[in-house]
Amino acid sequence: MHRFPYKTLLAGLLMASTPALSAPPPPPAYRQEVVVAGSPFQGVHGLALDGKGHLLASNLLGQSVHSIDLSTGAVSTLVGPPLGGADDVAIGPDGSVYWTGFFSGRLMRRTPDGKTRVIAKELPGLNSLAFRRDGRLYVTQLGRGEDALSEVDPSGKKPPRRILSGHGFLNGFEFGPDDKLYGPLLMKGQIARVDVDTGTLEAVAQGFAMPVAANFDSRRENLYVVDSALGQLVRVRLPTGDKEVVAKLPTGLDNLTVGPDDQVYVSNMVDNDIRVVNPADGSIRPVVEARLTVPSGLAVAPDDPDENLYVADVYALRRVGGRDGKITQTTRVLSSRMTFPMHVSLAAKHVVLSSAYLGAVQVLDRTSGEVLRTIPNTNGVQGALELPDGTLLLAEATTGKLVRVDAAEPAGTTVLTEGLEGPVGLVADTEAEEPGVYVTEVRSGRVTRVRLSDGARRTVAKGLKAPEGIARHPDGGLIVAEVGRKRLVRIDPATGRSTVIASGLRIGLPESEGLPPGYIPTGVAVGGSGTIYLSSDVESALYRFVPTSGGARP
């Protein structure tokens, strides 16, 4: 039986007779402002001097290889994304540039005429590389299930030849005057010497906390070592192995290279900068500076009048003033128990971090910053929330599941729902009559509401292109970073209608092999004032969008 739409007719009559009372207020306009200015890098790693006044720098998460003019400090991109995802970089005998793809497992080469190609692949955890005097090339795999040293054909015609495995994570290395390879064993706190012809290894210096790279001086007499956990540049005298701290630097050091004048260039992935040290007097000066590294997930307490932001900066967790951009607190990876944070959310007493970089979720005390729990998760975990009952809800982008993690230890898990297409961002709706969460699906272009009682799903909005970060506005609307269209949108959760807040944004690095859908997530947070905060992975910057009319609606 056909039913007459009385409710629809009544709503139409009411709208016609009382338009001023029923029409929704117009959305506010916003003014875009910079909170923290950007950087040319998204974390800086391997370094190499080209002998022509330029320093080459590898940028793993930014998927680029950069060139720095040492006379001016100007930074240019030699190889951009997605081909340039480099953990280390070296220059071959013919002037070709080689770099290692940690996530992609590919060894790349760019010839002097600008042609780029893959010369080795299927080498997960590909990390460091160095040329021997005779032009032979050696690489290591470090992590992602591998711990190996291999020889690779620089032309790419022959398959790699494994020399050593299980030796303790041989990292940034260089060949010495005796034609043997010298480098740190990261897991053992040692500097080792390797005969690559026989495969024999021996320690030449010990007592480091986390040595990550070693290079010789111009006379090939002393070996300079960077200790990431201690923030030290150390000179090792060979053959005795005696050590001397040359300079004290911030922790998070990653690599180094030594110039013909014995000036030591040092990269720091936590601070996203490069400094040069004069070993004669220990003086330090900046080459390239930055304030953020890889800003991704954002969170702000709704009752914080100063709108201080928690920024998951991948190599650090930072507290940033939303109004003044001042960085008031930094917890650094490697020198702390914190893993590499890519998402952050707040609960009453806790901060929850998740990382697809190393596959873990962590719960921190919100007051002290102490790590209370670390929960391994290798299913491409993106967003993570603590629910009112203390359980955690995780978005597994690789499996397409939302899973609950028990509050008690050992942590058991249950699947709340599955079949999502690249879940990335989560925001709670736990005060509703039927508590739930909103989730962005980067692959399907949907925003979905999932009911917490039984996992039932309802599509809130569709037709979006690569939605990632999501937050609740004080007026109840959903603020979403629609990365595929480089814009910020507001979605009405009742109707699914979207309104563009800003477009033409510098967000959305291309995805990389080895990391889940959403790659480096673009973070969104909203303060109690209605100001919207957005992270830019492309620029390593932080922006705010201040309402100029309408403000925050109750």
Side-chain angles (χ1 to χ4, degrees):
M1 178 183 294
H2 179 71
R3 295 181 179 179
F4 189 78
Y6 293 104
K7 291 182 180 179
T8 302
L9 177 61
L10 179 60
L13 290 172
L14 286 172
M15 289 181 67
S17 60
T18 57
L21 295 176
S22 61
Y30 289 88
R31 179 179 67 252
Q32 182 175 343
E33 298 177 347
V34 176
V35 180
V36 179
S39 162
F41 309 131
Q42 289 81 16
V44 60
H45 304 281
L47 303 174
L49 290 161
D50 69 354
K52 302 175 182 178
H54 296 89
L55 177 68
L56 302 187
S58 60
N59 177 353
L60 176 61
L61 291 179
Q63 305 175 56
S64 301
V65 178
H66 301 278
S67 176
I68 300 111
D69 187 323
L70 293 176
S71 63
T72 65
V75 179
S76 58
T77 300
L78 188 66
V79 183
L83 294 177
D87 202 332
D88 199 6
V89 61
I91 300 174
D94 68 343
S96 292
V97 179
Y98 293 78
W99 63 95
T100 54
F102 179 81
F103 294 113
S104 68
R106 294 194 298 255
L107 180 63
M108 306 292 294
R109 177 190 183 190
R110 183 182 188 271
T111 56
D113 61 3
K115 295 180 180 178
T116 299
R117 71 184 188 93
V118 179
I119 63 168
K121 57 185 179 180
E122 298 178 0
L123 296 170
L126 193 57
N127 191 276
S128 300
L129 74 166
F131 280 90
R132 203 171 174 178
R133 282 181 299 181
D134 60 4
R136 293 159 71 183
L137 177 60
Y138 296 81
V139 302
T140 53
Q141 293 167 262
L142 188 158
R144 301 186 77 78
E146 295 289 346
D147 179 14
L149 169 68
S150 302
E151 181 181 356
V152 176
D153 179 7
S155 68
K157 297 178 180 178
K158 300 177 182 178
R161 177 181 68 90
R162 181 162 291 197
I163 298 169
L164 283 174
S165 61
H167 43 265
F169 284 6
L170 179 64
N171 209 353
F173 51 79
E174 187 178 42
F175 281 90
D178 56 0
D179 209 26
K180 294 181 180 179
L181 186 152
Y182 290 76
L185 297 178
L186 191 149
M187 301 300 291
K188 297 182 177 180
Q190 300 175 342
I191 302 301
R193 175 169 52 217
V194 181
D195 186 323
V196 295
D197 294 323
T198 64
T200 56
L201 178 150
E202 59 181 324
V204 296
Q206 306 189 52
F208 295 90
M210 189 181 290
V212 290
N215 271 195
F216 281 92
D217 62 11
S218 61
R219 296 184 300 277
R220 320 290 282 174
E221 294 175 353
N222 300 307
L223 193 64
Y224 287 103
V225 179
V226 285
D227 190 318
S228 186
L230 298 180
Q232 294 178 346
L233 175 64
V234 179
R235 180 164 45 218
V236 177
R237 299 190 183 277
L238 298 175
T240 65
D242 293 339
K243 299 184 300 180
E244 176 189 4
V245 177
V246 173
K248 185 73 174 70
L249 297 145
T251 60
L253 305 176
D254 190 80
N255 219 312
L256 81 164
T257 191
V258 184
D261 55 359
D262 282 339
Q263 300 294 292
V264 183
Y265 297 86
V266 180
S267 65
N268 189 309
M269 64 181 175
V270 174
D271 292 329
N272 201 19
D273 66 17
I274 302 171
R275 307 183 192 202
V276 59
V277 179
N278 182 351
D281 58 12
S283 60
I284 304 166
R285 62 178 176 82
V287 177
V288 180
E289 296 181 280
R291 297 188 62 216
L292 296 175
T293 308
V294 199
S296 48
L298 302 177
V300 60
D303 57 352
D304 181 359
D306 296 322
E307 299 190 355
N308 289 294
L309 296 162
Y310 289 76
V311 182
D313 205 15
V314 180
Y315 299 107
L317 174 65
R318 305 189 199 271
R319 291 287 301 279
V320 180
R323 300 187 186 281
D324 59 13
K326 184 178 180 181
I327 298 174
T328 57
Q329 182 180 339
T330 298
T331 304
R332 312 167 76 87
V333 301
L334 302 183
S335 57
S336 74
R337 293 173 53 208
M338 188 183 70
T339 55
F340 294 71
M342 301 177 77
H343 282 267
V344 58
S345 64
L346 299 180
K349 297 181 179 180
H350 300 143
V351 178
V352 180
L353 304 176
S354 56
S355 175
Y357 197 119
L358 287 186
V361 177
Q362 291 188 307
V363 179
L364 283 63
D365 184 280
R366 190 164 156 181
T367 302
S368 67
E370 178 188 359
V371 177
L372 303 177
R373 300 178 72 192
T374 298
I375 302 150
N377 186 304
T378 57
N379 294 325
V381 61
Q382 290 277 24
L385 293 175
E386 183 178 271
L387 299 174
D389 63 359
T391 62
L392 300 175
L393 187 64
L394 313 182
E396 294 183 348
T398 302
T399 66
K401 298 176 182 178
L402 293 189
V403 299
R404 282 183 184 266
V405 179
D406 295 343
E409 297 288 359
T413 62
T414 56
V415 176
L416 176 62
T417 192
E418 54 189 329
L420 300 170
E421 298 182 43
V424 173
L426 293 176
V427 66
D429 186 25
T430 53
E431 295 179 0
E433 183 176 346
E434 292 186 326
V437 295
Y438 295 98
V439 55
T440 56
E441 298 181 53
V442 71
R443 288 284 188 263
S444 68
R446 291 192 296 257
V447 174
T448 302
R449 191 183 190 276
V450 180
R451 194 162 58 198
L452 292 177
S453 61
D454 58 5
R457 302 201 302 263
R458 173 175 65 85
T459 298
V460 174
K462 59 184 179 180
L464 302 170
K465 189 174 182 181
E468 293 183 359
I470 184 171
R472 293 292 297 275
H473 193 279
D475 68 4
L478 300 173
I479 308 301
V480 175
E482 191 183 5
V483 175
R485 292 192 174 98
K486 311 294 183 187
R487 65 188 189 182
L488 189 64
V489 299
R490 179 191 182 278
I491 296 173
D492 185 325
T495 66
R497 186 174 65 89
S498 65
T499 304
V500 177
I501 293 171
S503 57
L505 302 174
R506 297 272 290 161
I507 56 176
L509 284 168
E511 292 187 1
S512 172
E513 295 178 43
L515 280 178
Y519 189 50
I520 300 172
T522 296
V524 177
V526 184
S529 67
T531 297
I532 301 168
Y533 298 92
L534 178 81
S535 62
S536 168
D537 53 357
V538 172
E539 294 183 327
S540 296
L542 190 60
Y543 292 95
R544 64 176 165 242
F545 297 84
V546 181
T548 58
S549 66
R553 297 193 291 272

